[in-house]
Amino acid sequence: ASLPLKLGETFTPLAVGGSGVFDLPLVFAGYGITAPKQEYDDYEPLGKRVASKAVLVLRQEPQKDNPHSVFNGNQATQHAALVRKIANASEHEAGAVVFCNDASATEPDALMDFRRAGGGENGRSMPVLQVSRSVVTDVIKQATGSSVAALEAEIDRTLEPQSQLLDGWRLRGEVTIQRQQTDAENIVGVIPGIGFAGGETGGRDVVVLGAHYDHLGYGDSNSLAPGTRAIHHGADDNASGTATLLEVARQLQAEGPFPRTIVFIAFAGEERGLLGSGYYAANPLLPLERTAAMVNLDMVGRLVDDKVIVHGTGTGTGFDKLVDTFTSQAGLGVAKEPGGFGPSDHSSFYARKIPVLHLFTGSHTDYHRPTDTADKVNYAGMARISLLVANVVRELATAIEPPAYLEVASKPFMGGGGDRPYFGSIPDFAKPGGGYAITGVSKKSPAAEAGLEGGDVIVRLGESAIAGLEDFDSALRKHKAGETVSVVVLRNGKEVTLQVTLGDPR
Ligand SMILES: [Zn+2]
């Protein structure tokens, strides 16, 4: 038998996946979850038989309505996330992923938004689709004699996977996703330096002040109000930083020049993965070796209780004192975070061993929602932060001794590090797809000790195939600290296998 599918009615491709023609044997892989901690693995009964097959995967996770479920009661765990299921299928070398709504869906046949699992920036080649639950019900009935609801109920009851080949059934079709590429520009202004009279600067005569000027448009996969198509204003994130950047440039231009050159950059594409700052770091206007420090402004418009948050205070010599001095001079309290990695543009510079400071006035419920509007901005607070930033940048541009780079053992870059063992690689966001490319490794990290290097592309970790950062993150979570796993990297086009002993989560 064959069941034709109709686009938009009984199936939809998802933008997170790739394009291509496929004709693949179909496999039912339960919820598509491999969760060692919960001792649950939908792929266990299938083993290597998943390779190059289309895996049919239910959404959500087992025992969703059971408050005592090992999957965090009736809260969802990380394993319920679409991207984790796709990563897990990819690790098992599946040829395609087909999602199906689970029994808890209020509209069982409703199809997801095309971009629900992301826009495909990660460059996956594997097609990802959703097929309506009624069609899946028919297929499973004909292939196994059982219903999808019965298999699902059995998993929920026993926590035993019910995965199996769907004999005689194949997924045949073609997905063509046209990705529109748009050029975006970083906008740069420079106050050329006049140098130091006989001072020793070690040739580090540039200071960068940056703020991203992009936001989420009408909302996309980064929106926290999914399904709404509404202008996401981004008044705090990051019109506040952009306006502060302009104001500081105006002030310093009026009183400059200074011994060091100051480069002001409004970055594009931050929300899509630090694209603008990543591009600048790879193609700097003035050599990065000359850059003494980078100061980043991202969300500085919601000053509360006169307290500013400064990240990166441990990344350069003298930063602690510098920040203390100028915040107290401004009458501001400060919460200092030593680490230089975080989800904003300073990470692109810290990854290149440049001392960084990142100013932030804290998160809020309007973050990445259409309600991040201008009426909620603390303008008087922004004026004070402008003076603070001008003072910090002036000092960096004037002090003879530039800050020296310090390495801070930082929390993992990806959110929800939690129980993920420590590896110590630094992602290269400019090279999506075809493996997980790294720009470098943290000093004395497991990755460094094992001999990984910047430029390596990780294609396998333990049993898992790695097509990108998400697969890597997912695969790492299947191992424990202290375990030694073999890691295969592509280095100059050749496969190299290294043994990495994973560290304690941090
Ligand atoms: Zn931002």
Side-chain angles (χ1 to χ4, degrees), residues 92-295:
H92 287 89
E93 299 175 64
V97 178
V98 181
F99 283 108
C100 169
N101 285 337
D102 68 312
S104 75
T106 40
E107 292 177 70
D109 279 336
L111 298 173
M112 290 185 267
D113 183 77
F114 179 53
R115 296 188 51 166
R116 179 64 182 267
E121 293 85 355
N122 297 317
R124 281 199 187 283
S125 53
M126 176 177 75
V128 179
L129 304 92
Q130 183 191 5
V131 169
S132 73
R133 190 166 162 99
S134 351
V135 170
V136 170
T137 302
D138 286 350
V139 170
I140 291 195
K141 185 114 228 164
Q142 294 187 34
T144 70
S146 187
S147 73
V148 65
L151 294 176
E152 207 171 342
E154 189 62 9
I155 297 173
D156 283 8
R157 195 176 64 80
T158 61
L159 268 190
E160 292 292 334
Q162 301 296 319
S163 307
Q164 50 195 292
L165 298 175
L166 298 175
D167 275 334
W169 286 89
R170 300 178 74 85
L171 182 76
R172 196 170 292 159
E174 177 171 7
V175 170
T176 307
I177 296 174
Q178 290 177 4
R179 296 184 200 281
Q180 262 180 30
Q181 295 236 351
T182 307
D183 287 329
E185 266 127 41
N186 290 335
I187 300 161
V188 184
V190 177
I191 304 176
I194 50 172
F196 291 87
E200 182 47 64
T201 65
R204 297 176 54 223
D205 59 350
V206 175
V207 176
V208 174
L209 177 65
H212 77 86
Y213 72 92
D214 63 302
H215 193 53
L216 305 175
Y218 282 100
D220 64 11
S221 54
N222 288 324
S223 171
L224 292 177
T228 24
R229 187 176 157 79
I231 292 175
H232 285 54
H233 298 272
D236 184 30
D237 183 12
N238 188 28
S240 68
T242 312
T244 304
L245 173 81
L246 291 172
E247 171 58 14
V248 172
R250 190 190 65 78
Q251 286 177 36
L252 295 181
Q253 170 63 30
E255 62 177 87
F258 305 92
R260 284 196 177 82
T261 293
I262 306 177
V263 179
F264 301 90
I265 314 177
F267 292 113
E270 189 269 350
E271 304 284 6
R272 289 293 179 94
L274 317 184
L275 300 181
S277 56
Y279 182 86
Y280 183 88
N283 308 275
L285 204 61
L286 297 166
L288 282 190
E289 305 80 70
R290 285 175 54 189
T291 302
M294 189 271 179
V295 179

Side-chain angles (χ1 to χ4, degrees), residues 422-424 441-452 498-501:
Y422 179 52
F423 190 84
V441 291
S442 298
K443 208 160 64 184
K444 292 193 180 133
S445 65
E449 306 279 318
L452 274 92
L498 302 162
Q499 302 298 323
V500 181
T501 303

